[in-house]
Every structure is written in C-alpha cells, then in structure tokens.
C-alpha cells in the first residue's frame, strides 16, 4: 500500500481522472489519514490524569519531605523512579495514540465510505452511502478550540454502527459531509467542492425558554425538593448526615439537568433539500443532518408540569442513533422544548403531508391527538370497559389512521402522541393478556427501530384491533411500494425540492 | 387448529401451520431432566435429615405434571402463516401475541438448533427486522422445514427488498 498523503499537505493534488467530476480534497477516492493533532486530542485525558497525579503526589511528598529529613536519598530515588514510571505511561499513551493515528485511514468512494482502524486487531469498515441514515459533525470542546471536528456517518446496523472520522479540520469535515450527502442523494456537482444545501424555515430555542423548561421539569423539582427535605431533616436532627449521604443521587439529578441544558443550548432546527439540519451544544457542538425519509417515528410529548405553559418536546427514532451508548435520547431530539405551534411545525418538517381526509384540517387531527380525548377527529379510542385495566388514560389512548401515517395517542397525565409513517412500519404486533381477554380488549403495537419512540395503542376493542392490524399490514405494504428511492434527489415530481407544506396553522 | 384461539388472532383466509410436535418432546425432556435433579437432591436430603423434605420432592413431581400439560398447550398454540407479502406468527395461551412481519422488512434470518433439539430433529427460526421490538420467533420446526422456510423467506425478502 502506498503511503497516503497527509490531509494537511497541499503539495501534490491528485490529477482529476477524465470523465469524472474533479473532486478535490478528501473525497478523491484516495486513502487519507486523520488530522495530525488527533493523537493529542485522543490521549489528552491520559496526560491530564497523569499530570494531576504527579502534581498531587509531588505536592504530598514535598510536604512529607519537609517534615522528615532522615532519608532524603531514599525519598529522592523513589521520586525519580515514580517520575520515570509516569513518564513511561505518558509516552506509552501518546505513542499508542500516535500509532493508532498512523494505522487509521479512510477513503471516499462513489458508493461507499471506507475506514481502516486498529494496530493489532485491524478493522476495515465500509459503509454504503445510499444506506446512510444521518451525518453528524461533532466538535468536542478541545477539538473546537483547535478547529477540528469529527464526522460521523450513521448507518442502520444497531449498536455502534457508524463510521466516525475523528478528527478532521472543521472545514474539511463540512465539505466532506456535503459531498457525502450529495453522493447519497444521487446528485452530481461541478466544481471543486460540494455546495451546501440551503437551509429554510429555521427554528431556534431561546436560552431563556430552555432554562425555564428545565426549572419546571421533574429532575429540577426532585433536586430542589430533595435538597429542602434533606436539609430540613439535617437541621431537625442537628447532624448533616442525611444531606451528605444523599449527595450522589442529588448530583445525578444535577448532572441530568446539566446534560439537558448543554444539549439544548443554542438548539436550532432547519429544513434543507438534504433533510433536517440540527445544531446544538454548549461545550460539545453537534451538527446533525438527517436525510429525508430517515425518520422512523415521531413522538410529541408533554409532562404535567409543562401543561400550563403549553410546551411540548419532540423526539424521533432514527436507525443508527438508537442503539447508541449512554441514553437513548442522544441525537434523537428534534425540539427540546417549544410551544405547540413549533412542535407541530417540526412534525410538518418530518412529515409534510399528514394525509388526512379531504375537507379535514390536519391541525385539528394533530390537536385532537395532542390534547384531545374521546372519538373526536375520528380517533379509534379504547372502549369504556377498558377503565378496569387502565382507569386513568382509557378515554385518551387511541389510534387514528390517515393515508400517510398512524397517530397513536396515550397518557392523560404525561401526554404522548406517536406518529409512524406507513412506509416506515417495520412489523406489527397484537397482544392480549388474560384480563384483556375477559374484557374483550387487545393492544396494538407498531415495532419501530431502537429509539425513544415505542408506539403502542393499549386496550383497544379486540375486533377493532384485529381489523386494524389486518388493514395496517396492507397499507404499509402499499406505502413501501410507493415510497421514494433511497437516493432522495432522484425522485420525480414536485416534492423533489422538499416543498414544505404546513399542516394548517391555528386560525 | 385454527378455531382454538378465538377469532381475534385469526385473520380471514389464513391457513396456520402448526410447529413440530418435536418441540414439546424437547421441552418435556429438559423439564424432566431438571425436575429429576431436583427430586434426587430433595430425596437424598430427606433421607439424610428430615422426612419433611419429601414435600419438596412431591411438589417437584406435581410441577412436572403441570409443566407437561402446559408445554403441550403452549406448543399447540404456536402457529405461523406465510402470506403473499408478510409472515404471521402467533403464540401464547394466557398471554397471546400475534406478529406480522413484511418480507421486505426482513434484515436477516437465524436458524438455531441445540444438542437436544438435534436429537429430536428440531430447529428454531428467528426473523430479524431493523426493530429490536420485533419478536418473530418460530421455535421447533423440522430441520428440513426450517431450512426451506429460511430459504423461502430470504428469497421473498430479496424480491420485496426495501430499505428502512
């Protein structure tokens, strides 16, 4: 294998092949290394930990040494030995990161992205671009300071099914993302760089609203309440034990709030021909691009505390994000908090045409799904006898099927509205327990990819549920046949431009 | 066969294929082995320490009888149907479930068989879609039937190939 040129060097640009558009930069089909600063960024944690350790132990030793002069030579030798070991650890860490950087290389082909990693255990990964589910440009705090970014291509393969290029120069990452999106969309462009798709209908979440929404959320109330109660108990018994003892759970609640705050900070969602563009993050900044037709399911939800404020939050299932590491909500939030109009507007970006009956206002249907109960707007509701198994939400849980999607609403206290487009249905399920059987009820489930949305309509009338699953399997089949190509720009018709049709504004 | 589960889990014109009775044999054998071990342990302890422990042995024998009957019912309740565009699977007696998996949504098919399964010529087929929630399992098919179903599902899936 020939030595790949470094991405930073501009000495010898490869000659463009005849007949093909002249891709410059990283998307030339050749092997490239990551940015040379990668090993430092990768191993800074090791270095920081060792440095911290050194400072701390040297400090202790000096303090101890001041008091004890009986064996200075021994102490000096120990220091020397310890220092050498630490130096070795740092060198080994940096060396390993450097070797790993040398072994990591990627190339961009017309149809695929290839990444080779590993020194001892080598891994070669090839992701087909037409199976791309989302592209993220992620900038952790340190990388941001250095002007670097990580490019992550998500494909639907469950856990850790992504190709992560870390780290590239920020501009390179952006240009490469545009190129990958153009390739995946089936667009050929002229010129050296892929043009960035124009953004439209931008929506931003003000910081003030975000902070207020976090203050009236469950973790915040729990945090404040917990502190007050425990402080009260501590004062009562005159011992700080209870407050100190429950430090860890309180810290957990605070951490949760902080994560939500930093992930919702500067949140911005926009629509472009390449799909949805999300941008957010306080320290670590993420830019996500989700191509059209990649959203598997949408959930609009509202907790009890937000009801007075009229706020909603929007989550989605996207194949590839779901199985990811820590929490299932990472990368799956389309709107951290917003009024109903904005939430429905975001829904309209995902699903421009709700497919309601002629003469029916889509807004009414969504509104009935969000806040309504009973059979309004043709919702198929759980019957009255289901109150024996679901005394609170029985009047609310229901299903509405339109030409394009299934709307499943549930929860009277914590309201949910789940929407699954027919073309994105994976499989369908019907379940019935012994109690439900006695009452003549059955629950209808739509299986979606891993993620925060799990649409289930509980306790429907069994005959209606049975009919629903029979009809729905046919609808899903038809929708799959009619759905557009994976390369979204190759479809014909007016929707190729990504025309956004709002499902009715409140009058 | 079709009428035993009631009308809700039975679509019109669907012919349900029962699974192999070999599965009942496999499960009963496993239950028998486990219960035998338990009975032996309890019996030895009863002889060594106190005759009260014979109650444990008696309970295990009674449990085995109940399991014998339950396994028969459960295996009898499993069924699948290959339709034009999707595969339907139903199972359960107390907690009943029905799954409809479109062929075009199938990502891969697993066929598994353990050592005891192979003694009774039984194999398990599982369909996987992009959703982890899809519980499309057909336990206990004849090995030939399992292979046939696997190939047929694969070819049908390919013919109706869809992305996500």
């Amino acid at each position: 294998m020939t030595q790949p040129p470094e991405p930073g060097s501009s000495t010898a640009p490869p000659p463009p092949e005849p007949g093909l558009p002249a891709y410059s930069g990283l998307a030339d089909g050749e092997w490239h290394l990551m940015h040379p600063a990668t090993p430092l960024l990768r191993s800074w944690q090791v270095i920081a930990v060792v440095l911290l350790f050194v400072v701390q132990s040297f400090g202790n030793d000096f303090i101890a040494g001041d008091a004890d002069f009986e064996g200075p030579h021994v102490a000096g030798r120990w220091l020397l030995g310890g220092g050498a070991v630490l130096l070795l650890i740092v060198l080994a860490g940096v060396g390993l990161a450097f070797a790993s950087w040398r072994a990591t290389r990627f190339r961009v082909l017309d149809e695929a992205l290839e990444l080779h990693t590993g020194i001892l255990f080598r891994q070669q990964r090839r992701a087909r671009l037409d199976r791309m589910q989302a592209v993220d440009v992620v900038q952790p705090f340190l990388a941001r300071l250095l002007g670097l970014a990580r490019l992550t291509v998500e494909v639907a393969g469950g856990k850790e099914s992504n190709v992560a290029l870390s780290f590239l120069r920020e501009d390179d990452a952006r240009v490469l993302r545009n190129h990958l999106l153009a390739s995946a969309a089936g667009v050929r462009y002229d010129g050296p760089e892929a043009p960035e798709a124009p953004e439209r209908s931008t929506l931003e979440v003000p910081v003030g609203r975000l902070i207020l929404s976090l203050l009236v959320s469950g973790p915040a109330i729990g945090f404040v309440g917990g502190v007050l109660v425990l402080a009260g108990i501590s004062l009562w018994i005159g011992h700080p034990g209870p407050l100190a003892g429950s430090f860890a759970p309180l810290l957990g609640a605070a951490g949760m709030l902080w994560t939500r705050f930093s992930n919702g900070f500067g949140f911005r969602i926009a629509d472009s021909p390449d799909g949805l563009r999300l941008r957010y993050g306080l320290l670590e900044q993420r830019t996500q691009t989700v191509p059209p037709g990649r959203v598997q399911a949408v959930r609009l939800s509202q907790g009890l505390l937000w009801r007075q404020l009229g706020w909603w939050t929007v989550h989605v299932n996207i194949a590839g994000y779901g199985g990811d590491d820590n929490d299932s909500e990472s990368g799956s939030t389309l709107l951290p908090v917003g009024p109903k109009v904005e939430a429905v507007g975001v829904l309209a970006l995902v699903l421009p045409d709700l497919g309601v009956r002629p003469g029916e206002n889509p807004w009414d249907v969504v509104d009935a799904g969000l806040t309504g109960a009973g059979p309004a707007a043709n919702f198929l509701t759980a019957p009255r006898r289901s109150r024996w198994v679901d005394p609170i939400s029985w009047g609310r849980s229901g299903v509405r099927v339109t030409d394009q999607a299934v709307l499943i609403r549930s929860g009277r206290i914590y309201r949910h509205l789940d929407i699954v487009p027919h073309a994105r249905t994976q499989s369908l399920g019907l379940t019935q327990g012994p109690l439900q059987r006695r009452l003549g009820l059955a629950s209808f489930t739509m299986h979606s990819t891993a993620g925060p949305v799990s649409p289930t309509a509980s306790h429907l009338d069994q005959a209606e549920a049975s009919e629903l699953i029979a009809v729905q399997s046919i609808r899903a089949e038809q929708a799959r046949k009619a759905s557009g190509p994976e390369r979204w720009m190759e479809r014909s018709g007016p929707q190729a431009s990504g025309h956004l049709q709002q499902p009715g504004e409140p009058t | 066969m079709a009428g035993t589960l009631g009308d809700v889990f039975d679509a019109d014109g669907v012919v349900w294929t029962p699974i192999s009775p070999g599965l009942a044999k496999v499960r009963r054998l496993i239950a028998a082995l486990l219960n035998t071990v338990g009975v032996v342990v309890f019996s030895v302890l009863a002889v060594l320490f106190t005759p009260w422990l014979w109650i444990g042995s008696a309970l295990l024998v009674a449990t085995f009888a109940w399991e014998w009957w339950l396994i028969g019912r459960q295996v009898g309740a499993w069924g699948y149907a290959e339709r034009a565009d999707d595969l339907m699977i139903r199972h359960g007696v107390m907690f009943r479930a029905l799954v409809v998996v479109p062929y075009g949504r199938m990502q891969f098919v697993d066929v598994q068989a353990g050592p005891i399964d192979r003694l009774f010529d039984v194999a398990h087929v599982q369909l996987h879609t992009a959703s982890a929630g899809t519980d499309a399992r057909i336990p206990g098919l004849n090995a030939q039937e399992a292979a046939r179903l696997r190939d047929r599902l694969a070819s049908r899936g390919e013919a109706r190939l869809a992305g996500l």
Side-chain angles (χ1 to χ4, degrees):
Chain A
M1 192 183 293
T2 54
Q3 193 61 37
E6 292 196 5
S9 68
S10 58
T11 45
E17 291 176 42
L20 279 171
Y23 298 137
S24 75
L26 300 175
D28 53 3
E30 300 290 324
W31 289 101
H32 292 282
L33 288 178
M34 302 297 168
H35 192 273
T38 304
L40 275 179
L41 270 176
R42 282 256 165 117
S43 58
W44 74 267
Q45 282 129 329
V46 181
I47 299 173
V49 166
V50 167
L51 276 181
L52 202 73
F53 186 70
V54 167
V55 167
Q56 204 177 10
S57 59
F58 268 63
N60 285 345
D61 279 357
F62 279 130
I63 293 167
D66 278 339
D68 180 16
F69 280 107
E70 284 178 20
H73 296 292
V74 181
R77 247 176 244 161
W78 274 109
L79 272 180
L80 207 64
V85 167
L86 288 176
L87 196 68
L88 271 179
I89 292 176
V90 171
L91 282 181
V94 174
L96 215 62
F98 184 75
S100 140
W101 167 70
R102 293 280 302 178
T104 305
R105 55 197 58 184
F106 70 97
R107 68 173 169 177
V108 184
L109 302 172
D110 285 349
E111 299 275 316
L113 175 66
E114 272 188 66
L115 177 69
H116 290 191
T117 53
I119 309 161
L120 279 180
F121 296 92
R122 302 214 171 137
Q123 188 187 43
Q124 304 189 349
R125 188 172 274 195
R126 187 187 176 113
R128 268 176 59 186
L129 293 183
D130 58 348
R131 284 298 157 108
M132 193 166 75
Q133 300 295 319
V135 193
D136 298 355
V137 176
V138 189
Q139 286 189 285
F141 185 60
L142 266 185
R144 211 165 137 195
L145 291 183
L146 295 172
L148 300 178
R150 175 167 70 229
L151 186 76
T152 311
V153 175
E154 298 282 350
V155 284
K159 212 170 181 180
E160 315 229 328
S161 64
N162 55 28
V163 178
L165 307 181
S166 59
F167 290 88
L168 304 174
R169 272 193 322 195
E170 197 184 332
D171 295 338
D172 287 343
R174 207 148 285 155
V175 169
L176 187 55
R177 176 195 65 192
N178 296 338
H179 170 78
L180 292 178
L181 283 167
S183 304
V187 172
R188 287 276 177 185
Y189 55 87
D190 299 323
E193 288 184 359
E196 185 154 330
E199 294 182 359
R200 278 165 310 192
S201 48
T202 308
L203 198 84
E204 284 179 41
V205 177
V207 184
R209 189 205 292 163
L210 181 70
I211 291 172
L212 189 58
S213 79
L214 288 177
L215 287 181
V216 292
S217 69
I221 304 278
F223 179 73
V224 173
V227 167
L228 285 180
V229 168
L230 289 168
I233 294 174
S234 297
L235 281 176
W236 180 260
I237 63 172
H239 186 273
L243 196 56
S246 51
F247 189 66
L250 288 179
L251 206 66
M256 200 167 160
L257 286 175
W258 169 253
T259 311
R260 285 200 196 169
F261 174 69
S262 65
N263 279 343
F265 185 84
F267 196 95
R268 200 167 150 277
I269 179 169
D271 184 37
S272 82
D274 277 341
L276 297 172
R277 279 273 159 79
L278 308 173
R279 188 170 305 160
Y280 56 88
L282 180 63
L283 296 179
E284 178 180 286
Q285 203 163 44
R286 281 179 94 105
T287 310
Q288 294 175 219
T289 309
V290 183
R294 260 62 171 180
V295 172
Q296 305 283 327
V298 193
R299 161 171 282 186
L300 286 78
S301 45
Q302 181 186 52
L304 188 61
L305 296 164
W306 284 6
R307 191 172 295 182
Q308 280 303 311
L309 299 157
W311 283 343
W312 293 82
T313 176
V314 183
H315 294 288
V316 287
N317 280 0
I318 292 167
Y321 282 140
D324 258 14
D325 41 16
N326 35 35
D327 58 325
S328 58
E329 288 188 3
S330 75
S332 306
T333 308
L334 281 200
L335 185 70
V337 53
K340 195 194 271 182
V341 187
E342 288 187 7
V344 177
V346 168
L347 173 64
L349 291 181
V350 177
L351 196 67
D353 180 14
L354 202 59
V356 293
R357 291 177 194 166
E360 202 175 20
N361 188 350
W363 173 268
D364 292 339
V365 176
V366 174
D367 196 40
L370 290 175
T371 56
N378 290 310
F379 267 85
L380 173 67
T381 322
R384 188 174 164 76
R385 61 182 185 277
S386 71
R387 70 188 185 280
W388 295 107
V389 277
D390 188 5
I392 296 168
S393 308
W394 65 270
R396 185 160 150 74
S397 65
V399 187
R400 166 71 204 267
V401 182
T402 69
D403 287 345
Q404 295 291 330
V406 181
L407 289 82
I408 297 180
R409 70 174 182 206
S410 58
R412 205 179 278 278
I413 294 168
Y414 203 100
R415 291 165 166 169
H416 293 297
L417 175 66
D418 298 344
I419 297 144
V420 184
H422 292 325
R424 301 271 90 81
T425 311
Q426 292 291 335
S427 63
L428 304 167
L430 198 64
T431 54
Q432 188 179 48
L435 262 179
Q436 287 181 310
R437 191 178 187 183
R438 182 143 305 174
L439 294 165
L441 305 169
S443 295
F444 171 72
T445 313
M446 305 189 73
H447 303 129
S448 183
T449 58
V453 190
S454 50
T456 301
S458 303
H459 316 308
L460 299 175
D461 178 75
Q462 59 180 11
E464 288 173 334
S466 183
E467 194 192 328
L468 186 64
I469 197 170
V471 174
Q472 195 52 36
S473 55
I474 298 168
R475 268 186 224 273
E477 181 64 30
Q478 287 168 347
R480 260 197 310 283
K481 281 176 181 154
S483 66
E486 295 269 310
R487 295 181 167 171
W488 59 92
M489 293 305 269
E490 282 177 357
R491 74 184 75 168
S492 56
Q495 69 268 44
S497 61
H499 172 65
L500 179 69
Q501 178 193 345
Q502 296 280 340
E505 298 289 340
T507 47
Chain B
M1 187 64 226
T4 53
L5 289 171
D7 297 323
V8 182
F9 287 79
D10 206 4
D12 291 336
V14 173
V15 183
W16 293 96
T17 315
I19 59 172
S20 158
L23 182 71
K25 291 180 193 161
V26 172
R27 289 196 176 167
R28 281 170 179 161
L29 179 63
I30 293 172
L33 288 175
L34 288 176
N35 279 304
T36 308
V37 170
V39 167
V40 167
V41 168
F42 267 107
S43 304
V44 169
L45 290 176
V47 169
L48 288 181
F49 299 107
T50 161
W52 285 103
L53 286 172
W54 286 110
I55 296 174
S57 296
L59 276 178
L60 279 179
V61 171
T63 314
F64 178 60
W66 178 67
E67 279 176 8
W68 184 279
W69 170 78
L70 193 70
I71 287 169
R73 258 163 66 99
Q74 281 178 339
V75 169
W78 276 96
Y80 66 95
E82 290 172 76
R83 299 203 299 178
D85 289 316
D86 47 35
L87 180 82
M88 288 172 87
I89 302 170
R90 67 173 180 185
H91 62 88
V93 183
M94 276 273 270
F95 293 88
R96 301 193 296 176
L98 171 80
V99 184
V100 183
V101 189
Y103 296 129
R105 284 295 185 233
M106 214 170 52
Q107 301 287 331
F108 59 98
V109 185
D110 275 344
V111 180
Q112 288 176 332
I116 299 178
D117 297 330
R118 285 202 298 274
L119 274 183
F120 291 92
D121 188 31
V122 163
H124 309 282
V125 177
Q126 177 147 24
L127 273 73
H128 294 266
T129 66
S131 165
T134 306
D135 181 20
R137 204 156 42 90
I138 311 178
L141 292 174
N142 295 330
Q144 306 93 320
E145 170 70 2
R148 187 199 65 80
L149 188 65
R150 177 198 61 204
D151 294 343
R152 201 152 140 179
L153 291 175
S155 64
R156 286 189 169 183
E158 209 158 289
R160 288 162 186 79
L161 191 66
L164 287 171

